[in-house]
Structures are given as C-alpha cells and as structure tokens.
C-alpha cells in the first residue's frame, strides 16, 4: 500500500466513523441546553481527548499488555464479573420499563441547564460506550500500527483521524451559533428522536445485551 493510498484509506475511515448518529445526537442534546457555546466546546473537547487517548493506549502497546494479563485472571472471577455486568444491563432495562414514561407521552428534554463537569462526564461516558463498536477506528489503528510510521507520526495520524471524527460536532456547534429559527426546530426534532430512542430502543437492546453477557459467562 502506497503512502497516498494509506492516507486516503485512513481519512476515508475517519469520515465513515464521523457519521456516528449517537455522538451527533448527544452533541445536539448538549447544544439545546443553556450556554450552548461553552458546553458544546466542553463536550467536543472531551470527546476528542477520550477518542484520541484510546487510540494512543492501543498504539502504545498497553492494549496488548492487557491482553497478556487477561489469562492470569481466574476464569471464575471473569465469569462472575461478566454476569454482574449482564445483570446491570437487564436491571437498567427493567427500571426503564417500570419507571419511565410511556412512549406515546411525547416526552421532551426538560433539563435546560447543567454543569460543565456534568457535560464533560457525559462526553466521556458516551464516547467510551461508542468505542467497542468503533470498527473504522480499530481498522485505522491497525493500518497506522503496521505502516512503519514512527511513534510521533503515528500519534499525529491519530490526532488527524480524531479531528475528522469530531468534525460533524464542530459543524453542529457552528450551525447552532447561527441561532436561526429553522436550526432551533431541527435541534428540537433531534432531541425528540434521542428521547424516543431512550424510552423505546435502548431498554430492549440493553436487555438483549445483558442476556448475551449472561450466556457468554455461562458458556465460558
């Protein structure tokens, strides 16, 4: 693979990864709060740093070190931890089904202000939750690791990839600052979509994932 082809592939993977509906929806939710510029910048920065840090961890070999340590953990301990994680997902789904509003109540996001620390924590947790499914990122890291780049140049490529990843969030932030009525309507629709997913889509997915973890723990 030539340098030009490698660069084009990494950039293409970054563009594909950037079309992440969950991070875009989360950014839209943050931008509907008070102080959208400040909170949007915090969310954007935290998302970028978490994504970049995860890539640096893998490229630095820490991920491989964790893989080597994993066999040293007794199987029973691992199975118990996986089972507990599965029960947490099932409990979350049950709590949502019992305590949340019905789907036809047309819920709206009612929280209009939050702390900067809360937004930063939200960005960190949402980004970490996206990492296990970030197949383009994993593919890009694999290409970078096997490209023969120096460590410094590999970090530069990771930084560029992560900037491409958050570019839709930058666009949303700039669009939000325009302050037009059409933009407000757009963000309102995005927020309603996020709430709908929270009440109708996430609980069954969490329950299925919890059952899968339980089966995996039992099978292992």
């Amino acid at each position: 693979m030539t340098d030009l082809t490698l660069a084009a592939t990494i950039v293409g993977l970054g563009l594909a990864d950037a079309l992440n509906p969950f991070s875009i929806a989360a950014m839209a939710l943050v931008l509907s709060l008070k102080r959208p510029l400040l909170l949007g910048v915090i969310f954007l920065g935290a998302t970028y740093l978490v994504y970049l840090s995860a890539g640096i961890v893998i490229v630095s070999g820490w991920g491989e070190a964790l893989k080597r340590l994993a066999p040293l953990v007794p199987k029973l301990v691992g199975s118990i931890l996986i089972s507990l994680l599965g029960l947490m997902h099932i409990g979350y789904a049950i709590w949502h089904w019992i305590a949340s509003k019905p789907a036809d109540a047309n819920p709206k996001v009612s929280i209009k202000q939050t702390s900067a620390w809360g937004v930063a924590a939200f960005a960190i947790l949402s980004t970490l939750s996206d990492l296990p499914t970030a197949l383009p990122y994993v593919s890009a890291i694999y290409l970078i690791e096997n490209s023969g780049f120096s460590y410094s140049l590999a970090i530069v490529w990771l930084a560029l990839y992560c900037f491409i990843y958050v570019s839709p969030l930058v666009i949303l932030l700039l669009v939000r600052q325009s302050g037009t009525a059409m933009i407000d309507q757009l963000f309102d629709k995005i927020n309603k979509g996020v709430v709908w997913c929270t009440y109708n889509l996430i609980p069954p997915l969490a329950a299925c994932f919890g059952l899968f973890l339980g089966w995996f723990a039992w099978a292992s």
Side-chain angles (χ1 to χ4, degrees):
M1 183 180 292
T2 64
D3 291 343
L4 182 59
T5 303
L6 177 62
T9 303
I10 294 174
V11 171
L13 289 170
L15 291 173
D17 203 8
L19 300 177
N20 184 332
F22 296 104
S23 62
I24 292 174
M27 182 64 163
L29 180 62
V30 169
L31 293 178
S32 69
L33 305 172
K34 292 182 178 179
R35 301 177 297 166
L37 178 59
L38 172 63
L39 298 182
V41 168
I42 291 173
F43 182 86
L44 174 64
T47 299
Y48 180 86
L49 290 176
V50 170
Y51 220 58
L52 177 60
S53 298
I56 292 175
V57 164
I58 297 174
V59 169
S60 300
W62 298 349
E64 186 64 28
L66 291 176
K67 289 181 183 178
R68 293 180 181 275
L69 289 174
L72 301 178
V73 178
K75 279 190 174 182
L76 181 60
V77 174
S79 297
I80 292 175
L81 292 176
I82 294 173
S83 299
L84 290 175
L85 184 60
L87 289 174
M88 287 175 59
H89 280 81
I90 295 173
Y92 171 80
I94 294 174
W95 175 81
H96 251 282
W97 281 321
I98 294 176
S100 62
K101 298 178 181 178
D104 58 356
N106 192 24
K108 296 182 179 180
V109 178
S110 59
I111 299 176
K112 290 300 181 183
Q113 59 182 351
T114 188
S115 68
W117 289 110
V119 169
F122 176 51
I124 293 171
L125 292 174
S126 63
T127 306
L128 289 176
S129 67
D130 283 344
L131 283 173
T133 59
L135 296 181
Y137 196 26
V138 174
S139 300
I141 291 173
Y142 175 81
L143 291 175
I144 292 171
E145 283 186 310
N146 293 276
S147 63
F149 291 147
S150 65
Y151 181 77
S152 299
L153 186 55
I155 300 303
V156 170
W157 271 107
L158 284 176
L160 174 61
Y161 182 98
C162 292
F163 177 78
I164 296 173
Y165 173 75
V166 300
S167 58
L169 309 187
V170 176
I171 294 173
L172 277 179
L173 181 61
L174 295 176
V175 168
R176 181 66 180 85
Q177 286 305 111
S178 66
T180 63
M182 183 180 297
I183 296 303
D184 291 335
Q185 294 174 5
L186 172 63
F187 275 76
D188 184 60
K189 289 181 179 179
I190 294 176
N191 289 333
K192 288 181 179 179
V194 173
V195 174
W196 185 89
C197 289
T198 300
Y199 287 110
N200 298 278
L201 187 60
I202 293 180
L205 288 177
C208 291
F209 186 60
L211 292 173
F212 168 77
L213 289 177
W215 170 84
F216 181 79
W218 177 80
S220 60

